[in-house]
Amino acid sequence: MAPKLTRSSSSEGRKGVGPLIPPLTETQRPLRQQVFELVRAAGLIPRVQLAKDLGVSPASVTTLSSELIEAGLIEEVAAPRDNDAGRGRPAVALGVRAQAHRVAGMKLSDREHTAVIVDFAGKLIADEAIPRRPGPMSLPEILETIATLLARVCAKAGVERTDLAAVGIGLPGFVDCAEGIVFWSSILAERTVPLAEAATARLGLPVYVDNDANLVALAELWFGAGRSLSDFAVVTIEHGVGMGFVMNHRIYRGAQRLGMELGHMKVQLDGALCRCGQRGCLEAYVADYALAREATTALNWGHKESQPINVLLESLYDHAKAGNATAKSIFRRAGRYLAVGLSNVINLFDPSLIILSGERMRYDYLYAAETLSEMDNLAINTGRPRPPIEIHAWGDLLWAHGAAALALSEVTEAILSPAAREIAAQ
């Protein structure tokens, strides 16, 4: 007898369960793109090693690499063999064709603006920096600054602006990278500024913008300590406090692409005024402007308020190093709040590494041991060692390199993504 069908519920109302996974995720990029990215990451790599690393047939790698060579994106390079006696054909490896594209990266900040130009392999061609007047700028002013800085770094590199494939820009504040909109920044007088669109129109080049701390994390991911790590955090401490977080080898930005604002995590209810307009933010106790404000009050330095912040901080540092108890207490207090922020990063994300980055890192050795001890006390005791902390004081050029990496990433995506190929085929 045939089994009897029961109708416990209507078939029309039945719903599926489980995650709805898109057919193409970031970890399942087109094989052609994976081949190119692995070549770029390796510097030089033989075809046989490419096939092994990607888990595909040598024939597939040969076909795809031939396409990339024909497109002018990679090239064959004679590579020395191990124990080569000079006989026979030289080994051939694949490398990115550096001259295929050039991009610019910029860091716009409260103190100075920096820029770099790199080739398609990520090698630095030229860099430039220009000072700036304190205070927020209007959109026309910032566009003029971008154009001036780009002209100067192009002149230094010996290239025309039209030789560039794209420009990446990093700046502090709440920035939606996908939409190219700056919702708030300490260097902009207006809110909700479509900066990428405005800069693209001004320069005649594709422009991409992002939060500057994200771009420091991207710089570490592309050029620094994060290249071999899947998950790590970068905490930046300068005129503000920011964080970039890499998750599964990608920058994590949050659902609305405005996350990771560590500097605006509340550490004191109704506390010190932050430049974002709220009170009790971490950066209102740790950032450069917070230390300068504290020094002006605690040390009765009202006569120094007109001095640049970096000059005032140097003076504060000298007083602390000389044993001034008040100056030392200012750094100690900032170190304790920094410990609160870092312990929360550990408790929330469990990163494999935390990188502290920023020009002011040279001060932190004064209380580094005390800060890390406080952080250990505040972090959850799991019985396992806490993630290592590294200090990188590489200056603003690192931030600009991150902006260049953003531009390189966008150019690569535009060239190699399936949508780009479909458009090119039409």
Side-chain angles (χ1 to χ4, degrees):
M1 181 183 295
K4 185 178 180 181
L5 296 177
T6 61
R7 294 182 177 271
S8 58
S9 62
S10 170
S11 61
E12 288 89 358
R14 184 166 297 186
K15 296 180 179 180
V17 296
L20 295 170
I21 303 172
L24 183 66
T25 68
E26 284 190 336
T27 57
Q28 296 172 326
R29 299 177 312 289
L31 185 56
R32 184 169 180 260
Q33 187 170 345
Q34 291 184 55
V35 168
F36 175 82
E37 290 175 347
L38 187 52
V39 170
R40 181 167 57 193
L44 287 176
I45 186 170
R47 287 181 174 86
V48 64
Q49 188 63 47
L50 263 176
K52 185 182 297 184
D53 290 349
L54 291 173
V56 299
S57 69
S60 296
V61 167
T62 298
T63 299
L64 293 170
S65 61
S66 297
E67 290 180 13
L68 292 168
I69 290 172
E70 187 177 346
L73 301 179
I74 65 174
E75 59 189 359
E76 292 184 326
V77 180
R81 296 179 185 271
D82 293 335
N83 304 318
D84 192 356
R87 293 187 297 240
R89 296 177 60 186
V92 174
L94 298 175
V96 171
R97 184 171 169 268
Q99 62 271 33
H101 295 284
R102 300 181 185 90
V103 301
M106 293 184 183
K107 159 74 183 298
L108 306 178
S109 75
D110 298 273
R111 292 185 188 169
E112 67 174 359
H113 307 303
T114 53
V116 298
I117 290 180
V118 303
D119 62 27
F120 204 40
K123 183 180 178 182
L124 178 67
I125 299 174
D127 61 76
E128 183 60 288
I130 59 174
R132 62 154 297 188
R133 295 190 306 273
M137 295 182 288
S138 66
L139 179 57
E141 287 174 330
I142 206 165
L143 292 176
E144 182 63 29
T145 297
I146 291 170
T148 299
L149 181 56
L150 187 61
R152 287 178 56 166
V153 75
C154 282
K156 213 167 182 180
V159 300
E160 298 294 328
R161 186 168 72 187
T162 53
D163 294 331
L164 301 177
V167 178
I169 297 176
L171 68 163
F174 311 141
V175 184
D176 185 332
C177 180
E179 299 292 334
I181 296 174
V182 181
F183 289 97
W184 172 84
S185 174
S186 60
I187 68 170
L188 270 172
E190 298 97 345
R191 289 178 175 259
T192 317
V193 176
L195 183 59
E197 179 183 359
T200 295
R202 175 63 185 270
L203 301 178
L205 294 169
V207 175
Y208 305 95
V209 301
D210 202 351
N211 171 269
D212 54 2
N214 283 342
L215 295 184
V216 177
L218 195 61
E220 293 285 2
L221 181 63
W222 276 60
F223 308 109
R227 293 196 65 212
S228 61
L229 301 176
S230 62
D231 303 87
F232 65 93
V234 175
V235 176
T236 61
I237 308 172
E238 288 197 328
H239 198 64
V241 175
M243 185 172 85
F245 192 79
V246 171
M247 183 182 295
N248 193 25
H249 306 282
R250 293 286 185 274
I251 299 293
Y252 177 75
R253 295 183 172 89
Q256 299 185 64
R257 302 175 293 276
L258 298 172
M260 303 295 103
E261 285 294 339
L262 179 68
H264 300 286
M265 176 183 70
K266 302 302 178 283
V267 295
Q268 182 71 52
L269 292 178
D270 303 319
L273 181 64
C274 178
R275 60 182 179 168
C276 74
Q278 296 188 346
R279 289 188 174 274
C281 297
L282 175 64
E283 79 165 41
Y285 295 92
V286 175
D288 285 359
Y289 73 87
L291 293 178
R293 180 173 60 191
E294 187 76 10
T296 302
T297 303
L299 294 169
N300 197 24
W301 282 0
H303 61 287
K304 295 187 177 185
E305 282 186 321
S306 60
Q307 291 183 348
I309 283 183
N310 61 318
V311 175
L312 196 151
L313 286 180
E314 288 287 355
S315 181
L316 180 63
Y317 167 70
D318 290 339
H319 277 70
K321 193 174 181 182
N324 182 292
T326 302
K328 291 175 69 174
S329 70
I330 291 172
F331 283 112
R332 171 64 181 142
R333 183 173 183 242
R336 294 193 69 190
Y337 277 107
L338 176 60
V340 171
L342 295 179
S343 65
N344 280 321
V345 171
I346 293 171
N347 293 341
L348 286 169
F349 299 107
D350 186 28
S352 59
L353 172 68
I354 296 178
I355 299 170
L356 302 182
S357 183
E359 185 180 354
R360 202 179 59 75
M361 285 297 103
R362 66 183 180 276
Y363 301 131
D364 286 353
Y365 81 90
L366 275 173
Y367 302 109
E370 294 178 29
T371 297
L372 295 182
S373 176
E374 187 103 32
M375 181 193 71
D376 283 337
N377 291 334
L378 295 171
I380 296 171
N381 183 5
T382 63
R384 294 184 176 181
R386 64 161 170 80
I389 311 289
E390 293 185 6
I391 294 175
H392 294 179
W394 293 355
D396 274 1
L397 284 182
L398 176 70
W399 308 63
H401 266 90
L406 173 67
L408 283 175
S409 179
E410 294 289 350
V411 169
T412 303
E413 188 73 22
I415 293 171
L416 296 176
S417 69
R421 296 188 69 191
E422 288 176 10
I423 293 172
Q426 291 176 358

